[in-house]
Amino acid sequence: MSDQQPADSSADKGGETPADGQESDDSTRSMVPFIVAAAIAAIVLAVIVISELVSPVEKNVTEADRVAAAVRDFGDASSRYGLVPPKEAACPDFDPKRSPMAGRLDEGETGKAIEITKLEDMKVEGDSATATVTSKVDGDEATGTWQLRRVDNEWLVCH
């Protein structure tokens, strides 16, 4: 008969078994997986922190994203300031008569709800950009090609 029963674990330890309420030596080995998992988690966290420091999210913003933000900022500024937006939203040589809002806002008129509803066909070439913008002023929607220029590393609407 070759079937053998496994030896009793208490026999391997010289017949000693832990007394009731006492832990065996196996309990210290059960901490190893937790320690390894904590070390791996610390390494992963360190890699995430280092990668964020090396390549911040701001660097992942494309020029198209910046142009789109400038268009939306111009819409917000036109809503608050009318045909003559603040210098932070428009080119230095901005002409209100050529504004994308010309004919849709009256001179000196402020407080009209302006919403940029669609932004398409964006083309960025160096420090110039164009975009086909659909905007809604008090419920009246219109589409036009907007011209933008990068001034001091900021995109501004020119006309």
Side-chain angles (χ1 to χ4, degrees):
M1 296 204 163
S2 62
D3 291 339
Q4 295 182 1
Q5 295 293 327
D8 188 2
S9 64
S10 61
D12 289 343
K13 296 180 183 178
E16 297 178 20
T17 58
D20 290 339
Q22 292 180 351
E23 292 187 22
S24 70
D25 291 334
D26 292 339
S27 65
T28 57
R29 281 187 262 148
S30 65
M31 291 299 292
V32 172
F34 295 108
I35 293 170
V36 169
I40 291 172
I43 291 170
V44 168
L45 184 60
V47 167
I48 291 171
V49 168
I50 290 170
S51 67
E52 181 62 29
L53 292 173
V54 171
S55 175
V57 174
E58 297 86 38
K59 290 186 178 181
N60 296 334
V61 177
T62 66
E63 288 303 313
D65 294 335
R66 292 172 193 210
V67 169
V71 167
R72 287 188 175 81
D73 289 346
F74 182 84
D76 290 342
S78 295
S79 178
R80 287 189 302 255
Y81 299 100
L83 279 176
V84 184
K87 65 180 181 177
E88 295 85 22
C91 290
D93 58 345
F94 183 78
D95 181 3
K97 293 175 186 157
R98 297 181 68 203
S99 169
M101 296 296 150
R104 303 181 71 204
L105 295 175
D106 295 326
E107 190 148 344
E109 181 178 32
T110 61
K112 276 200 169 182
I114 298 173
E115 178 185 358
I116 304 301
T117 58
K118 197 183 288 183
L119 187 61
E120 301 176 303
D121 302 326
M122 193 178 313
K123 293 178 183 83
V124 178
E125 295 177 11
D127 287 342
S128 297
T130 59
T132 302
V133 180
T134 303
S135 59
K136 190 185 290 186
V137 178
D138 281 345
D140 181 35
E141 208 168 57
T143 301
T145 302
W146 290 24
Q147 307 290 322
L148 295 96
R149 190 169 62 226
R150 186 181 4 227
V151 178
D152 295 330
N153 209 27
E154 294 290 326
W155 286 100
L156 303 173
V157 173
C158 295
H159 53 83

